[in-house]
Amino acid sequence: SQQGEEDPQALSIQEGENATMNCSYKTSINNLQWYRQNSGRGLVHLILIRSNEREKHSGRLRVTLDTSKKSSSLLITASRAADTASYFCATDSSNTGKLIFGQGTTLQVKP
Amino acid sequence: DAMVIQNPRYQVTQFGKPVTLSCSQTLNHNVMYWYQQKSSQAPKLLFHYYDKDFNNEADTPDNFQSRRPNTSFCFLDIRSPGLGDAAMYLCATSMDRGQETQYFGPGTRLLVL
């Protein structure tokens, strides 16, 4: 069964605005990761947040993790047209390296 | 510099005709993964190698097999492709299992006629 669910499924914003994507999961995790995928391409790792962490930053990205609610959010600030892509959360529950991906949020940033 | 390389980028095969997809890595990572991603869906893990140790997911069809002849290379063999096997196949690597970033290749898009 799928672990992660993402919300919204699609998001369209203007350049310069902030984009927030949410991920919920069902079982306890060791870490949660966010990946980006441009159309027809492979996935690019953005951020890994461990179960004992609550917030991480990387450039214009901010990820939060609330293990009590089994949810995470990805915030992209000051979005650019080049941020247009699909964003996936993925959970690692077993320390085996097996990632279970959410369905993804498709982000469109209009110039 | 490319770190995880997949060949070919696009593969067309006929229904039932065996096909092999290739993945190589320059990262010297211990773990290599194969994912299947159908259109507008999440990537789904098929199997992974931890060094030479093969780990198959319970719901991976028998039609899918893998080989890892050395650290750098891993192959995905589809013995008798069906129309439902048309998808993007993604190879990924990580240094170790658990708490690790996975590095993905660009993927091979498979079309079954």
Side-chain angles (χ1 to χ4, degrees):
Chain A
S1 61
Q2 188 169 306
Q3 170 77 310
E5 295 183 2
E6 295 188 56
D7 165 56
Q9 289 189 338
L11 181 61
S12 181
I13 59 175
Q14 292 294 133
E15 208 166 24
E17 294 179 339
N18 295 341
T20 299
M21 290 160 264
N22 303 296
C23 170
S24 60
Y25 56 92
K26 297 176 182 175
T27 63
S28 61
I29 60 171
N30 295 311
N31 67 72
L32 185 145
Q33 304 181 32
W34 285 90
Y35 287 82
R36 166 196 166 125
Q37 185 177 36
N38 286 77
S39 180
R41 306 287 296 186
L43 281 78
V44 175
H45 181 262
L46 296 176
I47 288 184
L48 182 154
I49 186 165
R50 304 185 194 284
S51 59
N52 62 352
E53 297 176 313
R54 293 296 167 257
E55 187 170 313
K56 284 191 87 167
H57 297 256
S58 176
R60 293 183 295 113
L61 306 180
R62 172 177 168 255
V63 168
T64 62
L65 179 64
D66 186 336
T67 52
S68 66
K69 295 181 179 179
K70 292 186 169 60
S71 67
S72 174
S73 68
L74 169 66
L75 168 67
I76 304 174
T77 60
S79 64
R80 304 167 182 168
D83 295 329
T84 295
S86 292
Y87 292 82
F88 293 90
C89 68
T91 53
D92 177 358
S93 299
S94 59
N95 257 346
T96 62
K98 176 178 179 176
L99 292 180
I100 299 178
F101 284 83
Q103 289 286 20
T105 294
T106 299
L107 173 66
Q108 181 185 30
V109 181
K110 299 175 184 177
Chain B
D1 292 335
M3 296 183 291
V4 182
I5 302 161
Q6 290 189 244
N7 286 304
R9 293 293 311 281
Y10 300 91
Q11 176 73 56
V12 181
T13 191
Q14 292 178 331
F15 183 93
K17 184 175 181 181
V19 66
T20 294
L21 308 182
S22 168
C23 178
S24 63
Q25 54 133 340
T26 60
L27 299 165
N28 204 32
H29 281 174
N30 290 320
V31 194
M32 296 187 77
Y33 309 82
W34 279 105
Y35 290 87
Q36 179 192 64
Q37 185 180 26
K38 295 189 177 181
S39 182
S40 301
Q41 294 187 20
K44 181 178 176 298
L45 183 65
L46 295 173
F47 26 59
H48 75 275
Y49 271 95
Y50 179 66
D51 195 12
K52 297 178 182 179
D53 182 25
F54 178 69
N55 298 270
N56 197 32
E57 293 301 304
D59 55 356
T60 297
D62 292 339
N63 200 25
F64 291 84
Q65 296 177 338
S66 185
R67 297 170 283 133
R68 190 179 186 186
N70 53 54
T71 301
S72 300
F73 285 87
C74 195
F75 299 99
L76 170 62
D77 300 309
I78 308 177
R79 287 191 298 183
S80 182
L83 298 179
D85 296 328
M88 174 77 89
Y89 290 88
L90 297 164
C91 174
T93 73
S94 65
M95 174 59 77
D96 208 331
R97 291 189 296 199
Q99 306 282 4
E100 295 282 344
T101 296
Q102 293 188 15
Y103 295 83
F104 282 80
T108 294
R109 184 167 295 281
L110 178 67
L111 180 63
V112 181
L113 302 178

